[in-house]
Amino acid sequence: MDNLLRQRYEAVKASIPAGVDLVAVSKFHPVEDLRTVYDAGQRKFGESRVQELLKKIPEMPSDTQWHFIGHLQTNKVRSIIGKTTLIESVDSERLLAMIDQESERANVVTRVLLQVHVAVEETKFGFLPEELKAYFCQHKYENLKATHICGLMGMASNTEDKNRIVSDFNTVADLYSEIKTTIAPELRGFDTLSMGMSDDRQIAIECGSNLVRVGTAIFGERRY
Ligand SMILES: *Cc1c(COP(=O)(O)O)cnc(C)c1O
């Protein structure tokens, strides 16, 4: 089992070009499996539920880097502040404000990505592209005291239609470049474009992703 897991991890690693980073999405998988992948060299792990993240943190080596990738409720923000390397799934200004408030209170800087809503129906979470443009055009990020916006995260529609997937990823990638080069070029450290999961990561990388979030292709099917 360990060997198979290791082989799958190595295969995923090998499929990712230089300059693209990998988050091993370990949600619903036992900590033994995370350790196997950690021992193979992986440091970034992605979790989508606060309870599960908090349970796993003390069970993994302290240099494990935790990416939060699920919908985060404002009332749970306080419990994870200071414990993540990156919160990839900031999907509203209200959540962003809460993260900022709690980070300031805890005297830490929290790194986040803003999640863009492009996929049809799969999730109702995320900023609409126009909302996001307005947010940056109005320089609202300048009000943040203890939060650093490092880039964008997007998910494509869950479909076999490759054209649709490409168009979803391009929407997010275009928005990312526009913010970076035109709307807010003064924004420092805005350098992360998180797109692509097990099935669509090659397409995402072709569309400019520099961070892929891969679960199933490494750990196998999740048992919910
Ligand atoms: C679960 C999840 C993934 C990983 O999906 P796989 O298809 O298992 O690779 C990636 N991103 C997000 C936001 C997720 O919730």
Side-chain angles (χ1 to χ4, degrees):
M1 184 60 206
D2 266 23
N3 262 336
L4 178 59
L5 181 49
R6 209 182 163 106
Q7 278 168 22
R8 280 195 305 237
Y9 170 67
E10 304 287 0
V12 167
K13 275 295 276 182
S15 73
I16 295 172
V20 178
D21 217 341
L22 169 67
V23 175
V25 176
S26 48
K27 64 191 188 196
F28 295 96
H29 292 287
V31 78
E32 297 74 59
D33 289 358
L34 278 70
R35 278 208 209 97
T36 301
V37 173
Y38 177 96
D39 289 340
Q42 181 66 21
R43 291 297 175 270
K44 295 184 171 79
F45 290 84
E47 291 287 337
S48 60
R49 298 184 304 173
V50 168
Q51 283 286 309
E52 186 174 349
L53 172 67
L54 294 177
K55 185 172 179 295
K56 282 174 173 171
I57 288 174
E59 296 176 355
M60 285 292 286
S62 60
D63 67 342
T64 304
Q65 298 172 24
W66 297 100
H67 286 216
F68 192 81
I69 61 167
H71 176 60
L72 180 58
Q73 290 170 285
T74 47
N75 64 359
K76 299 225 172 114
V77 166
R78 185 174 292 185
S79 61
I80 68 164
I81 286 303
K83 297 181 174 161
T84 59
T85 299
L86 189 63
I87 300 176
E88 296 200 22
S89 44
V90 175
D91 53 17
S92 70
E93 283 192 48
R94 188 167 158 261
L95 177 59
L96 189 55
M98 183 59 84
I99 289 171
D100 198 45
Q101 180 186 314
E102 292 296 334
S103 303
E104 197 184 15
R105 181 179 168 276
N107 209 15
V108 297
V109 172
T110 301
R111 300 169 68 251
V112 304
L113 303 182
L114 302 187
Q115 181 175 348
V116 191
H117 180 118
V118 280
V120 273
E121 307 208 349
E122 273 69 45
T123 163
K124 55 185 187 297
F125 300 118
F127 290 85
L128 296 173
E130 303 74 50
E131 278 183 303
L132 209 53
K133 263 191 207 179
Y135 179 82
F136 285 99
C137 283
Q138 294 162 22
H139 293 249
K140 287 190 180 172
Y141 54 86
E142 288 172 1
N143 300 327
L144 298 172
K145 298 187 179 73
T147 310
H148 188 172
I149 300 176
C150 300
L152 304 182
M153 187 270 258
M155 268 182 280
S157 305
N158 183 13
T159 170
E160 299 285 299
D161 178 3
K162 190 182 167 194
N163 291 334
R164 174 75 214 203
I165 297 172
V166 169
S167 122
D168 286 349
F169 283 148
N170 279 336
T171 301
V172 182
D174 289 349
L175 196 55
Y176 171 76
S177 335
E178 198 180 341
I179 292 166
K180 201 174 165 57
T181 62
T182 316
I183 302 180
E186 75 287 1
L187 198 58
R188 283 188 299 137
F190 189 85
D191 57 12
T192 304
L193 180 57
S194 175
M195 305 193 300
M197 326 202 305
S198 291
D199 288 342
D200 57 16
R201 64 187 195 275
Q202 296 306 347
I203 305 174
I205 290 167
E206 281 164 31
C207 294
S209 169
N210 59 20
L211 184 65
V212 291
R213 310 174 309 272
V214 179
T216 310
I218 297 173
F219 294 101
E221 294 296 330
R222 286 179 284 276
R223 270 171 261 121
Y224 295 105

